[in-house]
Amino acid sequence: MALDYAQLKSAELLLTRQVLRPDDCIVYALGVGAGLDSPTNLGDETRFLYEERLEALPSQACVMAYPGFWMRDEAYGLDWRRIVNAELRIALGRRLPTVGELTSRTTVSAIQDKGQGRGALVLTERSVRDASGEELAVVSQLNFCKGDGGYSGSDSRLSDALPPQIPRPPQDAPFASYELATGHQQAAIYRLTGDRNPLHIDAMAAKAAGYPKPILHGAATAGMVCRVLASLPEITQKRFIRKLQIRFTNILFPGDLLRVDLWRIADRSVSFRCSTARDNGNPEVAYGTATWSDEQ
């Protein structure tokens, strides 16, 4: 079975609805490790875990009114067992709510054939709105379909251009570095947000995807970066993270230690690099940028 370009490109998922409750925000925060580290590292994270003064992490937009692992549908011809997250871009209109009725609609905006044996890239966009119809967030996700390269048969009409690449961090020393623990059950908790790809929980599914054991969700790594950003003194109660974009370059296993290095690239923007000490090395896991602004 091969990737069906026309079927996938025309896919428009049914409107997804969610009644957002405080427990959803708390489970999400636990899934990205909030409260797992010493308070001396990122400060007190109770505001993400306690319903009486609850705040939603900006990265939670990626699972709000989430349609689930819809690429598993056989109609699209995808080798779904070998799909991983390559990039995630989140743009927020305002600070996210912790309660309310939400809807989202997902569309496929681009598909690119990397060639036989090299996989394909599928870009989706999802608009998240509240009950009034106001757009809260736009979430763009680039999925790397490792087993679907060569579907186009070299027909350029069946392979689309993608957005500009996310810039890499500067070469000089970072202004700050943080080390965050990940829990051995963290992927199992994060799955409760709606991302049920089995490669994050099932050893057989992980091996079928080419990994020795289940891996942590890339979007969970993005949430850990968001925790670091939320701890910065520059991001006060009157400011919120407006944009977050991250490219995943390696995998993170539950239980790994994650290092996040930060560089200032503008007045209210930072570049970051994620890495982990594993196998006597320091492999890069991801990199990206984030921007914040004043409340409107």
Side-chain angles (χ1 to χ4, degrees):
M1 198 172 193
L3 183 156
D4 188 327
Y5 175 88
Q7 182 82 355
L8 186 57
K9 189 69 179 291
S10 62
E12 184 172 334
L13 277 67
L14 294 175
L15 195 69
T16 303
R17 300 181 184 275
Q18 178 188 10
V19 178
L20 181 69
R21 298 181 173 90
D23 282 4
D24 298 313
C25 301
I26 295 170
V27 168
Y28 174 81
L30 291 170
V32 299
L36 194 62
D37 292 279
S38 166
T40 58
N41 192 8
L42 297 184
D44 185 3
E45 294 188 296
T46 304
R47 67 189 188 278
F48 304 125
L49 302 169
Y50 182 38
E51 64 276 6
E52 292 196 13
R53 51 176 183 271
L54 190 63
E55 296 179 23
L57 280 160
S59 51
Q60 189 179 343
C62 68
V63 294
M64 286 182 165
Y66 185 62
F69 189 31
W70 61 271
M71 297 180 105
R72 193 171 181 170
D73 189 330
E74 293 183 357
Y76 303 119
L78 293 164
D79 183 0
W80 60 266
R81 293 173 181 82
R82 301 178 65 194
I83 295 176
V84 294
N85 196 342
E87 288 183 1
L88 187 63
R89 306 183 195 219
I90 302 171
L92 301 184
R94 62 175 174 85
R95 195 181 296 270
L96 293 175
T98 57
V99 295
E101 295 184 5
L102 306 176
T103 61
S104 79
R105 175 117 28 211
T106 302
T107 57
V108 176
S109 54
I111 307 171
Q112 187 175 92
D113 191 354
K114 303 297 290 183
Q116 189 68 40
R118 298 179 59 202
L121 295 167
V122 178
L123 180 64
T124 64
E125 291 190 0
R126 184 161 52 90
S127 173
V128 181
R129 299 178 182 271
D130 64 15
S132 73
E134 178 187 358
E135 188 171 70
L136 301 176
V138 175
V139 181
S140 300
Q141 181 169 324
L142 187 65
N143 293 293
F144 180 32
C145 304
K146 298 166 66 176
D148 295 292
Y151 73 86
S152 68
S154 300
D155 186 343
S156 61
R157 296 171 298 177
L158 301 180
S159 188
D160 306 317
L162 295 174
Q165 292 187 352
I166 297 171
R168 280 192 163 276
Q171 294 296 315
D172 56 351
F175 78 85
S177 298
Y178 298 82
E179 290 188 340
L180 281 68
T182 65
H184 289 283
Q185 296 81 28
Q186 192 167 326
I189 296 172
Y190 190 85
R191 292 183 80 245
L192 299 177
T193 66
D195 191 336
R196 298 297 181 103
N197 188 328
L199 72 84
H200 301 295
I201 190 71
D202 180 55
M204 295 291 290
K207 288 179 180 178
Y211 304 113
K213 58 184 178 179
I215 65 175
L216 189 62
H217 303 69
T221 301
M224 296 178 73
V225 171
C226 201
R227 288 173 49 217
V228 169
L229 298 172
S231 75
L232 296 177
E234 296 97 318
I235 303 179
T236 65
Q237 288 187 343
K238 294 184 179 181
R239 293 178 179 171
F240 73 105
I241 299 168
R242 181 175 289 277
K243 291 184 179 180
L244 175 68
Q245 55 180 4
I246 181 169
R247 180 174 180 83
F248 305 106
T249 56
N250 209 325
I251 56 174
L252 193 66
F253 292 112
D256 282 349
L257 186 69
L258 181 70
R259 177 187 173 97
V260 181
D261 297 316
L262 299 176
W263 291 261
R264 290 188 179 91
I265 55 175
D267 179 39
R268 296 183 182 181
S269 296
V270 294
S271 181
F272 59 84
R273 178 178 182 267
C274 303
S275 58
T276 184
R278 186 170 63 231
D279 301 327
N280 299 317
N282 190 35
E284 178 184 82
V285 172
Y287 63 87
T289 64
T291 302
W292 58 90
S293 63
D294 292 335
E295 293 267 25
Q296 294 180 345

